[in-house]
Coordinates of all heavy atoms in Angstrom, one line a residue:
M199 N -63.9 52.8 -17.4 CA -63.3 54.0 -16.8 C -64.4 55.0 -16.4 O -65.3 55.2 -17.1 CB -62.4 54.7 -17.8 CG -61.6 55.8 -17.2 SD -60.2 56.3 -18.2 CE -61.0 57.0 -19.7
N200 N -64.3 55.5 -15.2 CA -65.3 56.4 -14.6 C -64.8 57.8 -14.5 O -63.6 58.0 -14.3 CB -65.8 56.0 -13.3 CG -66.6 54.7 -13.4 OD1 -67.2 54.4 -14.4 ND2 -66.6 53.9 -12.3
P201 N -65.6 58.8 -14.6 CA -65.2 60.2 -14.3 C -65.1 60.4 -12.8 O -65.8 59.8 -12.0 CB -66.4 61.0 -14.9 CG -67.4 60.1 -15.4 CD -67.1 58.7 -15.0
V202 N -64.2 61.3 -12.5 CA -64.1 61.6 -11.1 C -64.7 63.0 -10.8 O -65.1 63.3 -9.7 CB -62.6 61.7 -10.6 CG1 -62.0 60.3 -10.5 CG2 -61.8 62.6 -11.4
H203 N -64.9 63.7 -11.9 CA -65.5 65.1 -11.8 C -66.1 65.5 -13.2 O -65.5 65.2 -14.2 CB -64.4 66.1 -11.4 CG -65.0 67.4 -11.1 ND1 -65.9 67.7 -10.2 CD2 -64.8 68.6 -11.8 CE1 -66.3 69.0 -10.2 NE2 -65.6 69.6 -11.2
V204 N -67.3 66.1 -13.1 CA -67.9 66.5 -14.3 C -68.3 67.9 -14.1 O -68.9 68.3 -13.1 CB -69.1 65.6 -14.6 CG1 -69.9 66.2 -15.8 CG2 -68.7 64.2 -15.0
E205 N -68.0 68.8 -15.0 CA -68.5 70.2 -14.9 C -69.0 70.7 -16.2 O -68.4 70.4 -17.3 CB -67.4 71.1 -14.3 CG -66.2 71.2 -15.1 CD -65.0 71.9 -14.4 OE1 -65.1 72.0 -13.1 OE2 -64.1 72.2 -15.0
S206 N -70.0 71.6 -16.1 CA -70.6 72.1 -17.3 C -70.5 73.6 -17.3 O -70.8 74.3 -16.3 CB -72.1 71.6 -17.4 OG -72.7 72.2 -18.5
G207 N -70.2 74.2 -18.5 CA -70.1 75.6 -18.6 C -69.9 76.0 -20.0 O -69.2 75.3 -20.8
S208 N -70.4 77.2 -20.4 CA -70.2 77.7 -21.8 C -70.5 76.7 -22.9 O -69.8 76.7 -23.9 CB -68.7 78.2 -21.9 OG -68.3 78.9 -20.8
G209 N -71.5 75.9 -22.7 CA -71.9 75.0 -23.8 C -71.0 73.8 -23.9 O -71.1 73.0 -24.9
V210 N -70.1 73.6 -22.9 CA -69.2 72.4 -23.0 C -69.3 71.7 -21.6 O -69.3 72.3 -20.6 CB -67.8 72.9 -23.2 CG1 -66.8 71.8 -23.1 CG2 -67.6 73.6 -24.6
L211 N -69.4 70.4 -21.8 CA -69.3 69.5 -20.6 C -67.9 69.0 -20.5 O -67.4 68.3 -21.4 CB -70.3 68.4 -20.7 CG -70.3 67.4 -19.5 CD1 -71.1 68.1 -18.3 CD2 -71.0 66.1 -19.9
A212 N -67.2 69.3 -19.4 CA -65.8 68.8 -19.2 C -65.9 67.6 -18.2 O -66.6 67.6 -17.2 CB -65.0 69.9 -18.6
V213 N -65.2 66.5 -18.7 CA -65.2 65.3 -17.9 C -63.7 65.0 -17.5 O -62.8 65.0 -18.4 CB -65.8 64.1 -18.6 CG1 -65.7 62.8 -17.8 CG2 -67.2 64.4 -19.0
H214 N -63.5 64.8 -16.2 CA -62.2 64.5 -15.7 C -62.2 63.0 -15.4 O -63.0 62.6 -14.5 CB -61.8 65.3 -14.6 CG -61.8 66.8 -14.9 ND1 -60.9 67.5 -15.6 CD2 -62.8 67.7 -14.5 CE1 -61.3 68.7 -15.8 NE2 -62.4 68.9 -15.1
W215 N -61.4 62.2 -16.0 CA -61.5 60.7 -15.9 C -60.6 60.3 -14.8 O -59.6 61.0 -14.4 CB -61.1 60.0 -17.2 CG -62.1 60.4 -18.3 CD1 -61.8 61.3 -19.3 CD2 -63.3 59.8 -18.6 NE1 -62.9 61.3 -20.1 CE2 -63.8 60.4 -19.7 CE3 -64.1 58.8 -17.9 CZ2 -65.1 60.1 -20.3 CZ3 -65.4 58.5 -18.5 CH2 -65.8 59.1 -19.7
E216 N -60.8 59.1 -14.3 CA -60.1 58.6 -13.1 C -58.6 58.3 -13.5 O -57.8 58.2 -12.6 CB -60.7 57.3 -12.5 CG -60.9 56.2 -13.5 CD -61.7 55.1 -13.0 OE1 -62.3 55.2 -11.9 OE2 -61.9 54.0 -13.7
D217 N -58.3 58.2 -14.8 CA -56.9 57.9 -15.2 C -56.2 59.3 -15.3 O -55.0 59.3 -15.7 CB -56.8 57.1 -16.4 CG -57.3 57.9 -17.7 OD1 -57.8 59.0 -17.5 OD2 -57.1 57.3 -18.8
G218 N -56.8 60.4 -15.0 CA -56.2 61.7 -15.1 C -56.4 62.4 -16.4 O -56.0 63.6 -16.5
S219 N -57.0 61.8 -17.4 CA -57.2 62.4 -18.6 C -58.5 63.3 -18.6 O -59.3 63.1 -17.7 CB -57.3 61.4 -19.8 OG -58.4 60.6 -19.6
D220 N -58.6 64.2 -19.5 CA -59.8 65.1 -19.5 C -60.4 65.0 -20.9 O -59.7 64.8 -21.9 CB -59.3 66.6 -19.3 CG -58.8 66.8 -17.9 OD1 -59.3 66.3 -17.0 OD2 -57.8 67.6 -17.8
S221 N -61.7 65.1 -20.9 CA -62.4 65.2 -22.2 C -63.4 66.4 -22.1 O -63.8 66.8 -21.1 CB -63.3 63.9 -22.4 OG -62.5 62.8 -22.3
A222 N -63.7 66.9 -23.3 CA -64.7 68.0 -23.4 C -65.7 67.6 -24.5 O -65.3 67.3 -25.6 CB -64.0 69.3 -23.7
F223 N -67.0 67.8 -24.2 CA -68.0 67.5 -25.1 C -68.9 68.8 -25.2 O -69.3 69.3 -24.2 CB -68.9 66.4 -24.6 CG -68.2 65.1 -24.3 CD1 -67.8 64.9 -22.9 CD2 -67.8 64.2 -25.2 CE1 -67.1 63.7 -22.6 CE2 -67.1 63.0 -24.9 CZ -66.8 62.8 -23.6
T224 N -69.2 69.2 -26.4 CA -70.2 70.3 -26.5 C -71.6 69.8 -26.2 O -71.9 68.6 -26.4 CB -70.2 70.9 -27.9 OG1 -70.7 70.0 -28.9 CG2 -68.8 71.3 -28.4
H225 N -72.4 70.6 -25.7 CA -73.7 70.2 -25.3 C -74.5 69.7 -26.6 O -75.2 68.8 -26.5 CB -74.5 71.4 -24.7 CG -73.9 71.8 -23.3 ND1 -74.4 72.8 -22.6 CD2 -72.9 71.2 -22.6 CE1 -73.7 72.9 -21.4 NE2 -72.8 72.0 -21.5
A226 N -74.3 70.4 -27.7 CA -74.9 70.0 -28.9 C -74.5 68.6 -29.4 O -75.3 67.8 -29.8 CB -74.7 71.0 -30.0
Q227 N -73.2 68.3 -29.2 CA -72.7 67.0 -29.5 C -73.3 65.9 -28.6 O -73.7 64.8 -29.1 CB -71.2 67.0 -29.3 CG -70.5 65.7 -29.5 CD -69.0 65.8 -29.0 OE1 -68.6 66.8 -28.4 NE2 -68.2 64.9 -29.4
L228 N -73.5 66.2 -27.4 CA -74.1 65.3 -26.4 C -75.6 65.1 -26.8 O -76.1 63.9 -26.8 CB -74.0 65.7 -25.0 CG -72.6 65.7 -24.4 CD1 -72.5 66.5 -23.1 CD2 -72.1 64.3 -24.2
R229 N -76.3 66.1 -27.1 CA -77.7 66.1 -27.5 C -77.8 65.2 -28.8 O -78.7 64.4 -28.9 CB -78.2 67.5 -27.8 CG -79.7 67.5 -28.3 CD -80.6 66.9 -27.3 NE -82.0 66.9 -27.8 CZ -82.5 65.9 -28.5 NH1 -81.7 64.9 -28.8 NH2 -83.7 66.0 -29.0
A230 N -76.9 65.4 -29.7 CA -77.0 64.6 -31.0 C -76.7 63.1 -30.7 O -77.1 62.2 -31.5 CB -76.0 65.1 -32.0
A231 N -76.0 62.8 -29.6 CA -75.6 61.4 -29.3 C -76.6 60.8 -28.3 O -76.3 59.7 -27.8 CB -74.2 61.4 -28.8
C232 N -77.7 61.5 -28.1 CA -78.7 61.0 -27.1 C -79.0 59.5 -27.3 O -79.4 59.1 -28.4 CB -79.9 61.8 -27.1 SG -81.2 61.2 -25.9
P233 N -78.8 58.7 -26.3 CA -79.0 57.2 -26.4 C -80.4 56.8 -26.0 O -80.6 55.6 -25.8 CB -78.0 56.7 -25.4 CG -77.9 57.7 -24.3 CD -78.2 59.0 -25.0
C234 N -81.4 57.7 -25.8 CA -82.7 57.2 -25.4 C -83.4 56.4 -26.5 O -83.0 56.5 -27.6 CB -83.6 58.4 -24.9 SG -84.4 59.3 -26.2
S235 N -84.4 55.7 -26.1 CA -85.1 54.8 -27.1 C -85.6 55.6 -28.3 O -85.6 55.1 -29.4 CB -86.2 54.0 -26.4 OG -87.1 54.9 -25.8
E236 N -86.1 56.8 -28.0 CA -86.7 57.6 -29.1 C -85.6 58.0 -30.1 O -85.8 57.9 -31.3 CB -87.3 58.9 -28.4 CG -88.1 59.8 -29.3 CD -88.5 61.0 -28.5 OE1 -88.7 60.9 -27.3 OE2 -88.6 62.1 -29.1
C237 N -84.5 58.4 -29.6 CA -83.4 58.9 -30.5 C -82.8 57.7 -31.2 O -82.4 57.7 -32.4 CB -82.3 59.7 -29.7 SG -83.0 61.3 -29.1
R238 N -82.7 56.6 -30.5 CA -82.1 55.3 -31.1 C -83.0 54.9 -32.3 O -82.6 54.5 -33.3 CB -82.0 54.2 -30.1 CG -80.8 54.3 -29.2 CD -80.3 53.0 -28.7 NE -81.5 52.2 -28.2 CZ -81.8 52.2 -26.9 NH1 -81.1 52.8 -26.0 NH2 -82.8 51.4 -26.5
A239 N -84.3 55.1 -32.1 CA -85.3 54.7 -33.1 C -85.1 55.5 -34.4 O -85.2 55.1 -35.5 CB -86.7 54.8 -32.6
I240 N -84.8 56.8 -34.1 CA -84.6 57.7 -35.3 C -83.3 57.3 -36.1 O -83.4 57.2 -37.3 CB -84.4 59.2 -34.8 CG1 -85.7 59.7 -34.2 CG2 -83.8 60.1 -35.9 CD1 -85.5 61.1 -33.5
R241 N -82.3 56.9 -35.3 CA -81.0 56.5 -36.0 C -81.3 55.1 -36.7 O -80.8 54.9 -37.8 CB -79.9 56.3 -35.0 CG -79.4 57.6 -34.5 CD -78.1 57.5 -33.7 NE -78.0 58.6 -32.8 CZ -78.4 58.7 -31.5 NH1 -78.9 57.6 -31.0 NH2 -78.2 59.8 -30.9
R242 N -82.0 54.2 -36.0 CA -82.3 52.9 -36.7 C -83.0 53.1 -38.0 O -82.8 52.4 -38.9 CB -83.1 52.1 -35.7 CG -82.3 50.9 -35.1 CD -83.2 49.8 -34.6 NE -84.4 50.3 -33.9 CZ -84.4 50.6 -32.6 NH1 -83.3 50.4 -31.8 NH2 -85.5 51.0 -32.0
A243 N -83.8 54.1 -38.1 CA -84.6 54.4 -39.3 C -83.8 55.2 -40.3 O -84.3 55.6 -41.3 CB -85.9 55.2 -38.9
G244 N -82.5 55.4 -40.0 CA -81.6 56.1 -40.9 C -81.6 57.6 -40.8 O -81.0 58.3 -41.6
G245 N -82.3 58.1 -39.8 CA -82.3 59.5 -39.6 C -81.2 60.0 -38.7 O -80.3 59.3 -38.2
I246 N -81.1 61.3 -38.6 CA -80.1 62.0 -37.7 C -80.8 62.7 -36.6 O -81.8 63.4 -36.9 CB -79.3 63.0 -38.6 CG1 -78.4 62.2 -39.6 CG2 -78.4 63.8 -37.7 CD1 -77.7 63.1 -40.6
V247 N -80.3 62.5 -35.4 CA -80.9 63.2 -34.3 C -80.5 64.7 -34.3 O -79.3 65.0 -34.3 CB -80.5 62.6 -32.9 CG1 -81.0 63.4 -31.8 CG2 -81.0 61.1 -32.9
S248 N -81.5 65.6 -34.5 CA -81.2 67.0 -34.7 C -80.8 67.6 -33.3 O -81.4 67.3 -32.3 CB -82.3 67.7 -35.3 OG -83.4 67.7 -34.4
A249 N -79.8 68.4 -33.4 CA -79.3 69.2 -32.2 C -79.0 70.6 -32.6 O -78.0 70.7 -33.4 CB -78.1 68.5 -31.5
A250 N -79.7 71.5 -32.1 CA -79.4 72.9 -32.5 C -78.1 73.3 -31.8 O -77.7 72.8 -30.7 CB -80.5 73.9 -31.9
A251 N -77.3 74.1 -32.5 CA -75.9 74.4 -32.0 C -76.1 75.1 -30.7 O -75.2 75.0 -29.8 CB -75.2 75.3 -33.0
G252 N -77.2 75.8 -30.5 CA -77.4 76.6 -29.2 C -78.0 75.8 -28.1 O -78.3 76.3 -27.0
V253 N -78.2 74.5 -28.3 CA -78.9 73.7 -27.3 C -77.9 73.6 -26.1 O -76.7 73.6 -26.2 CB -79.3 72.3 -27.8 CG1 -78.1 71.4 -28.0 CG2 -80.3 71.6 -26.8
R254 N -78.5 73.7 -24.9 CA -77.6 73.6 -23.7 C -78.1 72.6 -22.7 O -79.3 72.3 -22.6 CB -77.7 75.0 -23.0 CG -76.9 76.1 -23.7 CD -75.4 75.9 -23.8 NE -74.7 76.9 -24.5 CZ -74.4 76.7 -25.8 NH1 -74.7 75.6 -26.5 NH2 -73.7 77.7 -26.5
L255 N -77.2 72.0 -21.9 CA -77.6 71.1 -20.8 C -78.3 72.0 -19.8 O -77.9 73.0 -19.4 CB -76.3 70.5 -20.2 CG -75.8 69.3 -20.9 CD1 -74.4 69.0 -20.3 CD2 -76.7 68.1 -20.7
S256 N -79.5 71.4 -19.4 CA -80.2 72.1 -18.3 C -80.1 71.4 -17.0 O -80.4 72.0 -15.9 CB -81.7 72.3 -18.7 OG -82.2 71.1 -19.1
A257 N -79.8 70.1 -17.0 CA -79.6 69.4 -15.8 C -78.7 68.2 -16.0 O -78.7 67.6 -17.1 CB -80.9 68.9 -15.2
I258 N -77.9 67.9 -15.0 CA -77.0 66.7 -15.0 C -77.3 65.9 -13.7 O -77.1 66.5 -12.7 CB -75.5 67.1 -15.1 CG1 -75.3 68.0 -16.3 CG2 -74.7 65.8 -15.1 CD1 -73.9 68.6 -16.3
E259 N -77.8 64.7 -13.8 CA -78.1 63.9 -12.6 C -77.5 62.6 -12.8 O -77.4 62.0 -13.9 CB -79.7 63.7 -12.5 CG -80.5 65.0 -12.5 CD -80.4 65.7 -11.1 OE1 -79.9 65.0 -10.2 OE2 -80.7 66.9 -11.0
P260 N -77.0 62.1 -11.7 CA -76.5 60.7 -11.7 C -77.6 59.7 -12.0 O -78.8 59.9 -11.6 CB -76.0 60.4 -10.3 CG -76.0 61.8 -9.6 CD -76.9 62.6 -10.3
A261 N -77.3 58.7 -12.8 CA -78.3 57.7 -13.1 C -77.6 56.3 -12.8 O -76.9 55.8 -13.6 CB -78.7 57.7 -14.6
G262 N -77.8 55.9 -11.5 CA -77.0 54.7 -11.1 C -75.6 55.1 -10.9 O -75.2 56.3 -10.9
A263 N -74.7 54.1 -10.8 CA -73.3 54.3 -10.5 C -72.5 54.6 -11.8 O -71.4 55.0 -11.7 CB -72.8 53.1 -9.8
N264 N -73.1 54.3 -13.0 CA -72.2 54.3 -14.2 C -72.8 55.1 -15.3 O -72.5 54.8 -16.5 CB -72.0 52.8 -14.6 CG -71.3 52.0 -13.6 OD1 -70.1 52.3 -13.3 ND2 -71.9 51.0 -13.1
A265 N -73.7 56.0 -15.0 CA -74.3 56.8 -16.1 C -74.8 58.2 -15.5 O -74.9 58.4 -14.3 CB -75.5 56.0 -16.7
L266 N -75.0 59.1 -16.5 CA -75.6 60.4 -16.2 C -76.9 60.5 -16.9 O -77.0 60.1 -18.1 CB -74.6 61.5 -16.6 CG -73.3 61.6 -15.9 CD1 -72.4 62.6 -16.6 CD2 -73.4 61.9 -14.4
N267 N -77.9 61.1 -16.3 CA -79.1 61.5 -17.0 C -78.9 63.0 -17.4 O -78.8 63.8 -16.5 CB -80.3 61.3 -16.1 CG -81.6 61.7 -16.7 OD1 -81.6 62.0 -17.9 ND2 -82.7 61.6 -16.0
L268 N -78.9 63.3 -18.7 CA -78.7 64.6 -19.1 C -80.0 65.2 -19.6 O -80.7 64.6 -20.5 CB -77.6 64.7 -20.2 CG -76.2 64.1 -19.8 CD1 -75.3 64.3 -21.0 CD2 -75.7 64.8 -18.6
A269 N -80.3 66.4 -19.2 CA -81.5 67.1 -19.7 C -81.1 68.3 -20.4 O -80.1 69.0 -20.1 CB -82.4 67.5 -18.5
F270 N -81.8 68.6 -21.5 CA -81.4 69.7 -22.4 C -82.4 70.8 -22.5 O -83.6 70.6 -22.2 CB -81.1 69.1 -23.8 CG -79.9 68.2 -23.9 CD1 -80.1 66.8 -23.6 CD2 -78.7 68.7 -24.1 CE1 -79.0 66.0 -23.7 CE2 -77.6 67.8 -24.2 CZ -77.7 66.5 -23.9
S271 N -81.9 71.9 -23.0 CA -82.8 73.1 -23.0 C -83.9 73.0 -24.0 O -84.8 73.8 -24.0 CB -81.9 74.4 -23.3 OG -81.2 74.2 -24.5
D272 N -83.8 72.0 -24.9 CA -84.9 71.9 -25.9 C -86.0 71.0 -25.3 O -87.0 70.6 -26.0 CB -84.4 71.3 -27.2 CG -83.8 69.9 -27.0 OD1 -83.7 69.4 -25.9 OD2 -83.3 69.4 -28.1
G273 N -85.9 70.7 -24.0 CA -86.9 69.9 -23.3 C -86.7 68.4 -23.3 O -87.4 67.6 -22.7
H274 N -85.6 68.0 -24.0 CA -85.4 66.5 -24.1 C -84.6 66.1 -22.9 O -83.5 66.7 -22.6 CB -84.6 66.3 -25.4 CG -84.6 64.9 -25.9 ND1 -85.7 64.3 -26.5 CD2 -83.7 63.9 -25.8 CE1 -85.5 63.1 -26.8 NE2 -84.2 62.8 -26.4
A275 N -85.1 65.2 -22.1 CA -84.4 64.8 -20.9 C -84.4 63.3 -20.6 O -84.3 62.9 -19.5 CB -85.2 65.6 -19.7
R276 N -84.6 62.6 -21.7 CA -84.7 61.1 -21.5 C -83.4 60.4 -21.6 O -83.4 59.2 -21.4 CB -85.8 60.6 -22.5 CG -87.1 61.2 -22.3 CD -88.1 60.7 -23.3 NE -88.2 59.2 -23.2 CZ -88.7 58.5 -24.2 NH1 -89.1 59.0 -25.3 NH2 -88.8 57.2 -24.0
G277 N -82.4 61.0 -22.0 CA -81.1 60.3 -22.3 C -80.4 59.9 -21.1 O -80.0 60.8 -20.3
I278 N -80.1 58.6 -20.9 CA -79.2 58.1 -19.9 C -77.9 57.8 -20.6 O -77.8 56.9 -21.5 CB -79.8 56.8 -19.2 CG1 -81.2 57.0 -18.7 CG2 -78.8 56.3 -18.1 CD1 -81.3 58.0 -17.5
Y279 N -76.9 58.5 -20.2 CA -75.6 58.4 -20.9 C -74.6 57.6 -20.0 O -74.0 58.1 -19.1 CB -75.0 59.8 -21.1 CG -75.7 60.7 -22.1 CD1 -77.0 61.1 -21.9 CD2 -75.1 61.0 -23.3 CE1 -77.6 61.9 -22.8 CE2 -75.8 61.8 -24.2 CZ -77.0 62.2 -24.0 OH -77.7 63.0 -24.9
P280 N -74.4 56.3 -20.4 CA -73.4 55.5 -19.7 C -72.0 56.1 -19.9 O -71.8 56.7 -20.9 CB -73.5 54.1 -20.3 CG -74.8 54.2 -21.1 CD -75.0 55.6 -21.5
F281 N -71.2 56.0 -18.9 CA -69.8 56.5 -19.0 C -69.1 55.9 -20.2 O -68.3 56.5 -20.8 CB -69.0 56.3 -17.7 CG -69.6 57.0 -16.5 CD1 -69.6 56.4 -15.3 CD2 -70.2 58.3 -16.7 CE1 -70.2 57.1 -14.2 CE2 -70.8 58.9 -15.6 CZ -70.8 58.3 -14.4
A282 N -69.5 54.6 -20.5 CA -68.9 53.9 -21.6 C -69.2 54.6 -22.9 O -68.4 54.7 -23.8 CB -69.4 52.5 -21.7
L283 N -70.4 55.2 -23.0 CA -70.8 56.0 -24.2 C -70.0 57.2 -24.3 O -69.5 57.6 -25.4 CB -72.3 56.3 -24.1 CG -72.8 57.3 -25.2 CD1 -72.7 56.6 -26.6 CD2 -74.2 57.7 -25.0
L284 N -69.8 57.9 -23.2 CA -68.9 59.1 -23.2 C -67.5 58.8 -23.6 O -66.9 59.5 -24.4 CB -68.9 59.8 -21.8 CG -70.3 60.3 -21.3 CD1 -70.1 60.9 -19.9 CD2 -70.9 61.3 -22.3
A285 N -67.0 57.6 -23.1 CA -65.6 57.2 -23.4 C -65.6 56.9 -24.9 O -64.6 57.2 -25.6 CB -65.2 56.0 -22.6
E286 N -66.7 56.4 -25.5 CA -66.7 56.1 -26.9 C -66.7 57.4 -27.7 O -66.0 57.5 -28.7 CB -68.0 55.3 -27.2 CG -68.1 54.8 -28.6 CD -67.1 53.8 -29.0 OE1 -66.7 53.0 -28.1 OE2 -66.7 53.7 -30.1
L287 N -67.4 58.4 -27.2 CA -67.5 59.7 -27.9 C -66.1 60.4 -28.0 O -65.8 61.1 -28.9 CB -68.5 60.6 -27.2 CG -70.0 60.4 -27.5 CD1 -70.8 61.4 -26.7 CD2 -70.3 60.5 -28.9
V288 N -65.3 60.1 -26.9 CA -64.0 60.7 -26.8 C -63.2 60.3 -28.0 O -62.3 61.1 -28.5 CB -63.3 60.2 -25.5 CG1 -61.8 60.6 -25.6 CG2 -64.0 60.8 -24.3
R289 N -63.4 59.1 -28.5 CA -62.6 58.6 -29.6 C -62.9 59.3 -30.9 O -62.2 59.1 -31.9 CB -62.7 57.1 -29.8 CG -62.2 56.3 -28.6 CD -62.0 54.9 -28.8 NE -62.0 54.2 -27.5 CZ -63.1 53.6 -27.0 NH1 -64.2 53.5 -27.7 NH2 -63.0 53.0 -25.8
Q290 N -64.0 60.0 -31.0 CA -64.3 60.7 -32.2 C -63.5 62.0 -32.1 O -63.5 62.7 -31.1 CB -65.8 61.0 -32.3 CG -66.6 59.7 -32.3 CD -68.1 60.0 -32.3 OE1 -68.6 61.1 -32.4 NE2 -68.9 58.9 -32.1
P291 N -62.8 62.4 -33.2 CA -61.9 63.4 -33.2 C -62.4 64.8 -32.7 O -61.7 65.5 -32.0 CB -61.5 63.6 -34.7 CG -61.8 62.3 -35.3 CD -62.9 61.7 -34.5
A292 N -63.7 65.0 -33.0 CA -64.3 66.3 -32.6 C -64.3 66.5 -31.1 O -64.4 67.6 -30.6 CB -65.7 66.5 -33.1
C293 N -64.1 65.4 -30.3 CA -64.3 65.4 -28.9 C -62.9 65.6 -28.1 O -62.9 65.6 -26.9 CB -64.9 64.2 -28.4 SG -66.5 63.9 -29.1
A294 N -61.8 65.6 -28.9 CA -60.6 65.6 -28.2 C -60.5 66.9 -27.3 O -60.9 67.9 -27.7 CB -59.4 65.6 -29.2
A295 N -60.0 66.7 -26.1 CA -59.9 67.9 -25.2 C -58.8 68.7 -25.7 O -57.8 68.3 -26.3 CB -59.6 67.4 -23.8
P296 N -59.0 70.0 -25.6 CA -57.9 71.0 -26.1 C -56.6 70.8 -25.3 O -56.7 70.5 -24.1 CB -58.5 72.4 -25.8 CG -59.7 72.2 -25.0 CD -60.1 70.7 -25.1
A297 N -55.5 70.9 -26.0 CA -54.2 70.7 -25.3 C -54.0 71.9 -24.3 O -54.5 73.0 -24.6 CB -53.1 70.7 -26.3
R298 N -53.4 71.6 -23.2 CA -53.2 72.6 -22.3 C -51.7 72.8 -22.0 O -50.9 71.9 -22.1 CB -53.8 72.3 -20.9 CG -55.3 72.4 -21.0 CD -55.9 72.3 -19.6 NE -55.7 71.0 -19.1 CZ -56.3 70.5 -18.0 NH1 -57.1 71.3 -17.3 NH2 -56.0 69.3 -17.5
Ligands
ZN530 ZN1 -83.1 61.1 -26.9

C-alpha cells in the first residue's frame, strides 16, 4: 500500500494511504524507528535508538518509488523509510490516527 499524500506539521507526519485511510506518526516515533544501518546495529546490540520528544523532521524526500528519506533536526538523515515500514508502524497502537 502506498501513500497518496504525506504532510508534516506540529511534530506529526500525516500519511494518507491509497485505500483512503489516514495514519499519523509523531516525528519522535519516526526517529526512534529509523531503519538506517547505524540504528539497526544499535537495536541488534540490544540497545534503544534514542529520540528526543522534541526532535522534528527537517526534510522529507522521496527515495525511489516506495520509500521516503527522512531527515531530523538532530542531524540524523540516513534513514530510508519504506512505505511497508510505515504500514508496519501503523499497527502499533500508539500510531493509530485520531478518530475524526
Ligand atoms: Zn538511523
Side-chain angles (χ1 to χ4, degrees):
M199 187 162 68
N200 290 335
V202 290
H203 183 64
V204 172
E205 63 193 12
S206 177
S208 315
V210 173
L211 182 75
V213 177
H214 306 285
W215 300 98
E216 59 190 3
D217 71 351
S219 63
D220 295 320
S221 305
F223 308 95
T224 67
H225 294 177
Q227 176 187 14
L228 291 167
R229 175 65 184 85
C232 179
C234 82
S235 56
E236 188 183 328
C237 293
R238 281 205 313 264
I240 292 172
R241 289 190 202 95
R242 255 200 314 274
I246 292 171
V247 175
S248 63
V253 73
R254 291 292 177 264
L255 276 169
S256 54
I258 304 170
E259 301 287 344
N264 297 300
L266 296 173
N267 180 5
L268 302 183
F270 293 90
S271 57
D272 61 359
H274 199 75
R276 299 179 59 198
I278 305 292
Y279 291 67
F281 298 143
L283 172 65
L284 296 179
E286 185 67 32
L287 284 178
V288 170
R289 293 194 204 99
Q290 298 174 11
C293 304
R298 290 187 296 189

